[in-house]
Amino acid sequence: MERTPPIVTITSDFGWRDYHLALIKGTILQHTPNARIVDISNAVANYNIVEGAFLFRHAWQAFPAGTIHLLSINDFDQPDRPFLVFSHQGHHFVGPDNGLFSLIFQEQPANIFQLDTEDISFSRFPLADIFGKAVGHLAQDFPAGGMGSAVDQWLERITLQPVTGPNHIRGSVVYIDQFDNAILNIDRQLMENIGRDRSFELYFKRHSPITELSTSFHDVPVGEILCRFNSADLLEIAINMDRGASLLGLKIEDTVQIDFSNGKK
């Protein structure tokens, strides 16, 4: 029976201007000629593992089981930095042990391995060899453990979490998307748990509070401010048909607060 061509995703801070991404893809194809390579994002801000984790966390589960996910953020030209490989929920993951994975998964998966890089050449561009050989191994359904030694703990990185009370949620901006919408670290479940179908006021900067939850951008007139849950079920602040974050002065880590009334709507 012919083996299904493997899907390989890449999430990185390499951008599109230089040749490094092409080197990685070419080396992958040397080891696995039938690989189907999919870019999740290569426009992660340089060295920004928080942004990379955010983008990857909301995309990887859309891929079928067996997909091999490569992550390369803030690991360029650092041959002494350990790389991890592991399998989880039917997917395979390869990336640096720099706190990135702790931002993606709520709990550390079982059976994590540190890649053995003794046979990797560090004279040119070692990341290409690291990823190419890892894909070649995993694409043959060989176990992740065959590429290194088990580790007990990966590097932990902590990010800002919402602070809640009986009648409020204090959150922050965690991402500004391509359309300049300000995405918050407040998800639908948290909003429902604290809000309990009560009216609310969403305060940010010195602007008048938002008091209605929109379903789509066009629930309000063009140029008007709104808040809605995006495809990742995260609350976002936007302006219909305009650049909301820039016009509203919102930046990453800016604080917002939602106050709920004491009564029902």
Side-chain angles (χ1 to χ4, degrees):
M1 182 176 178
E2 186 175 351
R3 190 184 302 274
T4 302
I7 298 173
V8 180
T9 77
I10 299 178
T11 305
S12 81
D13 58 355
F14 283 123
W16 303 98
R17 185 169 180 266
D18 300 325
Y19 58 82
H20 302 102
L21 184 60
L23 270 177
I24 290 174
K25 291 182 178 181
T27 307
I28 289 171
L29 292 173
Q30 285 186 38
H31 288 269
T32 313
N34 63 341
R36 295 173 289 171
I37 302 174
V38 179
D39 297 295
I40 289 182
S41 177
N42 293 296
V44 176
N46 294 144
Y47 321 117
N48 194 330
I49 66 171
V50 175
E51 180 180 306
F54 175 88
L55 294 171
F56 181 76
R57 184 170 66 247
H58 296 293
W60 74 267
Q61 294 185 68
F63 289 86
T67 297
I68 303 167
H69 302 283
L70 308 180
L71 296 96
S72 179
I73 302 164
N74 193 22
D75 58 5
F76 180 72
D77 199 25
Q78 298 191 51
D80 58 336
R81 173 163 289 168
F83 273 74
L84 302 179
V85 56
F86 59 94
S87 300
H88 179 62
Q89 295 184 6
H91 294 241
H92 310 291
F93 304 85
V94 184
D97 186 18
N98 60 5
L100 177 61
F101 286 121
S102 73
L103 300 175
I104 295 169
F105 301 101
Q106 290 185 338
E107 295 182 359
Q108 179 176 305
N111 302 319
I112 298 174
F113 304 91
Q114 181 176 316
L115 273 175
D116 181 0
T117 57
E118 288 186 1
D119 62 341
I120 299 295
S121 171
F122 289 96
S123 61
R124 187 164 177 248
F125 187 60
L127 286 176
D129 287 337
I130 289 171
F131 287 132
K133 291 181 178 180
V135 170
H137 180 98
L138 294 168
Q140 298 181 71
D141 293 330
F142 293 153
M147 288 184 286
S149 55
V151 294
D152 296 326
Q153 186 70 39
W154 59 27
L155 183 65
E156 293 282 349
R157 174 75 177 266
I158 299 174
T159 57
L160 294 174
Q161 298 297 319
V163 176
T164 64
N167 298 309
H168 77 272
I169 302 172
R170 186 177 301 117
S172 58
V173 178
V174 294
Y175 185 70
I176 308 294
D177 71 12
Q178 178 69 26
F179 293 92
D180 212 36
N181 303 317
I183 300 173
L184 312 178
N185 60 350
I186 300 172
D187 62 28
R188 188 189 301 269
Q189 188 64 56
L190 180 62
M191 184 87 163
E192 292 176 351
N193 289 345
I194 302 298
R196 302 191 305 277
D197 200 34
R198 293 179 291 171
S199 60
F200 70 90
E201 293 180 327
L202 170 55
Y203 292 92
F204 58 100
K205 296 290 189 177
R206 296 184 178 180
H207 299 284
S208 299
I210 302 173
T211 59
E212 296 290 337
L213 186 63
S214 297
T215 301
S216 71
F217 295 103
H218 297 290
D219 286 350
V220 302
V222 171
E224 292 295 315
I225 302 170
L226 68 129
C227 68
R228 63 184 287 273
F229 287 105
N230 65 10
S231 59
D233 262 353
L234 292 173
L235 195 64
E236 64 182 6
I237 298 172
I239 294 178
N240 185 18
M241 298 290 288
D242 216 330
R243 301 190 65 78
S246 297
L247 292 173
L248 298 172
L250 286 168
K251 298 180 175 60
I252 301 294
E253 295 188 357
D254 278 351
T255 300
V256 305
Q257 177 147 330
I258 304 174
D259 291 334
F260 297 96
S261 66
N262 290 323
K264 296 282 187 179
K265 289 182 179 179

